[in-house]
Every structure is written in structure tokens, then in C-alpha cells.
Amino acid sequence: MRVIFMGTPDFAVPSLDAIVDAGHEVVLVVAQPSRPAGRGKKLKKPPVAVRAEELGLPLFQPKAMKSGPFPERFVELEADVAVVIAFGRILPDRLLQSPKHGCINVHASLLPRYRGAAPIQAAVLAGDATTGVCTQQMESTLDTGPVYDLIEIPLDDRETAGTLHDKLAPLAAECVVRTLADLGQRAATPQEGEPTYAGKIDKAMGEVDWHHTAEAIDRQVRGLSPWPGGWMAWDKGPLKLKELHLSDLPVGDAEPGIILSTAPLVVATGDGAMELHKVQAPGRKPVSGEDFARGAHLEVGELLEP
């Protein structure tokens, strides 16, 4: 099968490898343009572009999706199907309709749950028991297309967005290869149930409010790890809350944010207590909460603040 593969981050790389290994002819790999990165701000190719070059596959990194040479080349290839996974751009209708079997998207949730940009983080933030990946026929509206196939997995109690990302990437590869094997023989099924949405993640979402419950804060930090991570305001920048654990230490009548213990470092929340197992002060290396409390001269009964 003649396949156009469209993806950008490392999450999409296993799917590209799996499609090639399955014997499909990848006639074009499309990734977002290279971006400045690092202190020197040198252009850095995204992971999918790097992998395409390693595999000797034709690569295009278009700046525009509707004009210029890219859409003409896309159409002229007369591909059987385009596979889109974490590409990061909206495809115009002309491209959606160009391949023989249209465009298939690999999505990191069980649609219609968590349509949108951040389904992996959303599953952890919500405390879901299960999530998964699915393949859908792309439409002009966001993640509304009928579903071809899905793979469901349970979430671990200590799951982070990072660990879940690493679990779902190979499952996405498995799911898309299964879908391509049956393409044209099995119809996609319309999505059923009430849709939910997972918008883009920004740094401000990581700021922890100790007035929230300990369970909600725990999910917040895990769901936003590794980026932007949990944090709170501190001297000269954010105090990064690298790892938190629920604590069974009695809160009593302590107000949220009050330090209940310094060894380990435990604070009261709106409901329950939270251990700051590992933190990182601005300009410093990550340390245990106990070591941080000692260095910052924190005391039981005071408010955790700069």
C-alpha cells in the first residue's frame, strides 16, 4: 500500500517504523519544520524527520499546508492512504480527500473521550482507570471521524503523562498496522457516547494550589510530568515539585500549605496531606524534600512559602 506518513514528535516514530516493517511503501514522510533549539538556537529536526532520513525515505517539512509546492506534491503522489499521528497541523479538505482511502489519524485516547491536543495528560489528570489508542477516519472537524480499531490498557496508580506516553507509542504502531491490513475490507464505526475534550497544555497549569485536595494535586503533578511539571512560587523562580506522594499524616485543623513535618517534608492540603518527596529550587539540582527543608530552614507549623 502506498502511504503518506505525517507526524512530528517521538511518539510517532514507532508507527513509522511499524508501517515500513509491515512492507508498505512510504512514498512521503511529512513533518513540521525544524525549529531553533538549545542555547545556540541552531535548527533542530523533529524526531520523525530524523528517522525518515535514517530510513532513506523522502521527506517534506512544509511551512504552509494550503499553498506552495506541498499540497501539489501531496496530491500528485496518488497515495492509497495518509497516516497522521501527532502531526500538529490541521489538514485542509483537499488533502483529506486526496488519497484513495482518505486520511487515517492515530489518536492517543479512546474516542470520543479526549478529543484534542493533550489526551495523554487528560487521562492522568482525570484519574481514569483505563485509556488507550485508536485509529479514526479523519474529517474536517476535530477528532470526530468514525473509528477503525482501538487498543485499551489500564493506568497504573503512579502513572505520569511521561510513562503513559511511552506505553501508548508502541500500541499506536500496533493499532495503525492492524488498521492498514484491513483497510478497504472493514468499515469504520461511528463514535458513540458523549465527547470530552483535552485542550493544549501550558505552564500555568502546573501551579499547585494547596487548597485543592491531596488526590487532585497528586493527579495534577503526575498528569503534567515531565512538562510543565508541578510547581509553586519561590525565591527567584518556581520551586519544581518533581515527585509528590500522598501522606497519611493527620492534618488536624492545619490550614492548606502548613508544614506538618520536615522529615519527610509534608504539607497540609484542602483535604489530606502531601509529601514533597523530591523538589528542585531555582538554579539548583533536585533534592529530597527533607534535604530541601533543612537547607531552607523550614519549620513545622509555618506556611510553605518563600
Side-chain angles (χ1 to χ4, degrees), residues 10-300:
D10 54 0
F11 185 80
V13 171
S15 292
L16 175 58
D17 286 340
I19 290 171
V20 172
D21 291 343
H24 298 289
E25 180 187 1
V26 179
V27 295
L28 184 65
V29 175
V30 187
Q32 288 209 40
S34 303
R35 308 290 187 191
R39 293 183 178 180
K41 297 298 180 182
K42 293 182 179 180
L43 288 179
K44 182 178 181 180
K45 289 183 180 292
V48 166
V50 172
R51 185 58 180 151
E53 291 182 339
E54 291 173 348
L55 295 171
L57 299 173
L59 172 67
F60 207 117
Q61 295 178 260
K63 294 182 179 180
M65 303 299 294
K66 296 182 179 180
S67 60
F70 171 67
E72 299 304 323
R73 183 174 179 185
F74 187 101
V75 172
E76 289 171 357
L77 285 169
E78 298 182 344
D80 292 309
V81 65
V83 172
V84 183
I85 174 168
F87 178 57
R89 300 280 293 278
I90 296 175
L91 273 61
D93 287 345
R94 182 188 180 195
L95 301 190
L96 290 176
Q97 300 166 6
S98 173
K100 178 181 178 181
H101 296 287
C103 298
I104 293 175
N105 172 240
V106 189
H107 192 73
S109 77
L110 304 176
L111 291 170
R113 190 160 179 79
Y114 304 136
R115 294 173 180 173
I120 294 176
Q121 293 90 334
V124 181
L125 289 169
D128 287 356
T130 63
T131 188
V133 296
C134 68
T135 50
Q136 59 152 339
Q137 186 73 47
M138 292 181 68
E139 299 178 340
S140 57
T141 45
L142 181 66
D143 297 331
T144 59
V147 173
Y148 282 104
D149 203 353
L150 61 84
I151 300 176
E152 185 174 1
I153 63 167
L155 270 70
D156 186 88
D157 289 342
R158 297 307 303 163
E159 203 81 70
T160 68
T163 60
L164 185 56
H165 168 284
D166 293 346
K167 290 178 181 178
L168 293 182
L171 294 182
E174 178 184 345
C175 194
V176 73
V177 168
R178 286 191 339 203
T179 299
L180 293 180
D182 293 339
L183 199 60
Q185 304 173 36
R186 185 177 63 175
T189 303
Q191 296 181 25
E192 296 181 354
E194 188 68 24
T196 57
Y197 296 87
K200 291 183 178 180
I201 300 297
D202 61 51
K203 185 176 180 179
M205 294 174 65
E207 185 173 12
V208 166
D209 183 345
W210 298 116
H211 289 81
H212 295 163
T213 68
E215 288 190 359
I217 294 170
D218 178 55
R219 293 197 308 268
Q220 176 188 7
V221 173
R222 289 188 292 109
L224 298 176
S225 174
W227 190 90
W231 59 275
M232 61 173 291
W234 202 253
D235 291 328
K236 300 179 181 179
L239 176 67
K240 297 180 180 179
L241 308 174
K242 305 290 287 186
E243 186 177 345
L244 303 183
H245 293 169
L246 297 175
S247 172
D248 57 5
L249 202 64
V251 174
D253 58 358
E255 294 293 323
I258 291 294
I259 298 172
L260 304 176
S261 165
T262 57
L265 178 56
V266 179
V267 300
T269 73
D271 184 5
M274 180 67 73
E275 177 192 345
L276 281 64
H277 187 71
K278 184 181 294 185
V279 302
Q280 184 176 5
R284 302 294 182 89
K285 295 181 179 180
V287 296
S288 69
E290 182 176 347
D291 287 345
F292 173 76
R294 187 182 305 110
H297 308 293
L298 302 181
E299 295 183 2
V300 173

